[in-house]
Every structure is written in C-alpha cells, then in structure tokens.
C-alpha cells in the first residue's frame, strides 16, 4: 500500500504525555486544519481515559477524525487505519482544510510516511498453530525462532510484541521468504525538509514527571470505573485493546492480583518503557524534525513555532 503525498498533510507527534493534544488544537486553528488521529488505541470506543482521547472541548474547537471507530473487543490493523487515513486526507482537503495527523503510534507514522507491505492474507489455521506454540513455549522462545529464520525482523521486533512475532513467522511459513525482505520496498526515506513531521520532545526528568502526573490523573479521573464498564459491557477488551497501557494493570487489580497503588506504579513503569521505545522509533525516521519544549511554553506559542518551521508564515 503506497503512502500518501507527504505534501498533502502535516504531522505532530511525540512520546506519550508530551502535551500533543492541546498543542494540536492550537496548531490546527493556526493552519485552518482538521485533526486526524495517529493513535492505534484511540480507534476504540469507550477507552477515552486510558488513551487520553481529546476532550469534548478540544473536539468542539477543531474537528477530530479516526477516533472511537470500533468496539474494544474488535481487532484493527494498521492496513485498515492507513486505508481510512488516505480517505480522510482526501475528504478534509476536499473541504479546503489541511489534514493534521496527531498522535504517538510510531508504526502508524512510519506507514503513513513510507507505505505498508500487506503480505499474504491471514492463514487462520497456520496462525492458530503458531498461537498454540506461543502458549506452550512463551514469547521468548518464539522470538528465538524468528531470529533463526529472519534475524532482521527479529532485531526490529520487541520480544514481548507477540502480535508482530506471530505475523512475521506466519509470513515466513506461508511464503518461505522472510518478511523483512518483502518489506524492503517500503523503506524509502525522505529528508526532513521534504516533510512536515514535527516531533515534540522534553528533557527526560520533565517527561517522566509528566508521565507520573498523567497516570495519577487517569486513576483519579475514573480509569478503574471505565475499565469496569468495558468489562461489564459483555465482550470486554480484545487482544489488541488490552495492549493499551493501564488497562491490563487495572484488570489485574480488579482480579485481586495487587492493590491500586501497585497498579498505578506498574502503569507508570510501563509507560516510561513505552515512551523510550517511541523515542527510538522517531529518531530512526529521517522524515522527523524535533521540537524541544520547556514547561514555560504555552500551547499557542509552541504551535506558532511549529507552523513557522513548516513554512506557514
């Protein structure tokens, strides 16, 4: 799946808890833009607190798209997102507005910039076979098998990212060719000056403090109650939705595995690890321009810096 023209949109990204949502509203107003979500978990309905979905006030100030699309028990792929994103770019530009992608899912960003290798159709029998191997031997053993057949893919996939490990093994067994070889055509990178992709970043102590504040606010704002409601809804959280930081920790708390304070601490630690991985992804993409932030900068002032850097005057 080919990527959209990089001149047809802007992108504002950064690790979790950087402050993207408020800055995005100010930037969208500055550019006469509409916001398109670049967040793999914001597509799920009813997960507003844990995924930090833009507030009703932010959504009223600027139209937001690609959020609250499906039930949390449904599966949703990056290919589906990219197809919807391309359609939304055309729709927004057709209204004379500028598409502004906002969010922190690095895989979505890379596919937006470079396109996506879709691979063979899912072989459910083969996938169930590999899933059974995962349940029997664990993620580390499966990752070791991937290292044997496709060391390039294995080096790029975290040992706990079972979804991508399963897919890489499925493609290899179905085609006899490593997925990394088949993905090479989508590795063409552009220089940053040809794109308008801005990564917000803060110094590490500030970022960690903001993550702790974000998690505390999520708990105080009703994350436990939101999770209970999702579970009580009948179908609960699907495999993908459970990957959203905070929900599995709260589910473990609700199951009596630890107290709420421990759930909060585990969520903070997991969020810090997630932010570190996000940063690594962003630094690997040549298309990105980095915008250093300080706590004394207002959303409007930061938006003005980004707009000027992108040539908006």
């Amino acid at each position: 799946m080919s990527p959209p023209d990089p001149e047809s949109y802007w992108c504002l990204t950064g690790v979790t808890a950087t402050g993207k949502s408020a800055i995005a509203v100010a930037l969208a107003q500055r550019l006469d833009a509409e916001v398109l979500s670049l967040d793999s978990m914001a597509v799920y309905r009813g997960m507003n607190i844990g995924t930090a979905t833009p507030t009703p006030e932010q959504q009223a100030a600027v139209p937001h798209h690609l959020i609250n699309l499906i039930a949390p028990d449904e599966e949703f792929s990056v290919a589906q997102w990219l197809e919807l994103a391309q359609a939304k770019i055309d729709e927004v530009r057709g209204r004379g507005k500028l598409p502004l992608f906002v969010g922190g899912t690095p895989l979505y960003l890379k596919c937006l910039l470079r396109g996506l290798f879709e691979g063979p159709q899912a072989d459910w029998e083969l996938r169930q076979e590999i899933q059974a191997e995962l349940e029997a031997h664990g993620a580390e053993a499966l990752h070791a098998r991937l290292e044997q057949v496709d060391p390039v893919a294995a080096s790029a996939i975290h040992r706990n990212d079972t979804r991508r490990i399963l897919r890489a093994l499925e493609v290899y067994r179905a085609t006899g060719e490593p997925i990394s070889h088949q993905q090479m055509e989508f590795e063409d990178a552009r220089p940053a000056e040809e794109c308008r992709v801005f990564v917000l970043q803060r110094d590490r102590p500030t970022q960690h403090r903001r993550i702790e504040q974000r998690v505390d606010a999520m708990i105080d704002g009703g994350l436990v109650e939101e999770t209970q409601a999702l579970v009580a809804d009948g179908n609960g959280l699907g495999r993908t939705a459970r990957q959203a930081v905070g929900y599995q920790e709260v589910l473990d708390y609700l199951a009596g595995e630890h107290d709420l304070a421990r759930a909060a601490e585990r969520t903070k630690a997991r969020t810090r690890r997630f932010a570190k991985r996000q940063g690594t992804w962003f630094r690997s993409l040549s298309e990105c321009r980095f915008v250093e932030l300080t706590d004394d900068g207002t959303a409007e002032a930061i938006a003005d810096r980004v707009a000027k850097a992108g040539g908006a005057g």
Side-chain angles (χ1 to χ4, degrees), residues 62-266:
V62 173
H64 284 65
H65 308 283
L66 305 180
I67 59 176
N68 296 321
L69 301 177
I70 61 173
D73 62 311
E74 296 181 59
E75 295 299 315
F76 190 79
S77 70
V78 64
Q80 290 172 283
W81 177 84
L82 186 56
E83 184 176 356
L84 291 174
Q86 289 177 318
K88 279 295 177 184
I89 289 174
D90 293 339
E91 177 188 317
V92 171
R93 290 182 64 86
R95 288 193 287 270
K97 302 289 186 177
L98 180 69
L100 170 63
F101 284 92
V102 179
T105 299
L107 180 58
Y108 279 20
L109 175 60
K110 183 176 181 180
C111 291
L112 180 69
L113 294 171
R114 303 183 184 180
L116 174 67
F117 163 70
E118 296 183 77
Q121 291 292 319
D123 183 329
W124 294 106
E125 184 175 338
L126 178 57
R127 186 170 293 185
Q128 289 173 356
E129 177 185 315
I130 301 172
Q131 180 68 38
E133 294 176 23
L134 172 65
E135 295 171 357
H137 304 291
E140 191 161 338
L142 233 61
H143 192 274
R145 294 183 188 180
L146 181 60
E147 286 180 327
Q148 294 174 353
V149 300
D150 191 351
V152 175
S155 67
I157 300 176
H158 192 274
R159 293 178 182 273
N160 295 330
D161 192 344
T162 57
R163 183 177 181 181
R164 294 179 66 204
I165 294 172
L166 288 170
R167 179 57 175 165
L169 287 171
E170 178 189 356
V171 169
Y172 177 76
R173 294 184 187 180
T175 67
E177 184 178 354
I179 192 173
S180 60
H181 293 183
Q182 301 178 55
Q183 291 172 329
M184 289 304 293
E185 65 178 295
F186 296 101
E187 288 299 322
D188 291 339
R190 295 182 176 90
E193 58 268 20
E194 291 184 9
C195 307
R196 293 184 179 88
V197 180
F198 298 94
V199 182
L200 305 177
Q201 61 180 15
R202 300 178 186 272
D203 64 80
R204 181 170 296 180
T206 299
Q207 190 61 46
H208 284 182
R209 173 172 54 80
R210 291 176 65 89
I211 287 171
E212 293 189 358
Q213 292 173 341
R214 160 76 67 83
V215 173
D216 288 339
M218 285 163 47
I219 298 293
D220 293 342
L223 180 61
V224 172
E225 293 76 12
E226 181 175 82
T227 306
Q228 288 175 315
L230 291 167
V231 173
D233 193 40
N235 295 323
L237 297 174
R239 182 184 61 183
T240 303
R242 283 174 178 263
Q243 295 177 10
V245 178
Y247 289 97
Q248 187 59 58
E249 289 77 10
V250 171
L251 287 170
D252 291 342
Y253 157 68
L254 293 173
E257 295 186 19
H258 49 240
D259 60 20
L260 187 56
R262 177 60 176 159
E265 288 306 313
R266 288 179 61 184

Side-chain angles (χ1 to χ4, degrees), residues 274-289:
F274 176 55
K276 183 177 180 180
R277 292 198 299 273
Q278 287 175 298
T280 300
W281 268 85
F282 297 141
R283 288 189 295 274
S284 74
L285 297 174
S286 63
E287 296 88 344
C288 293
R289 305 188 221 181

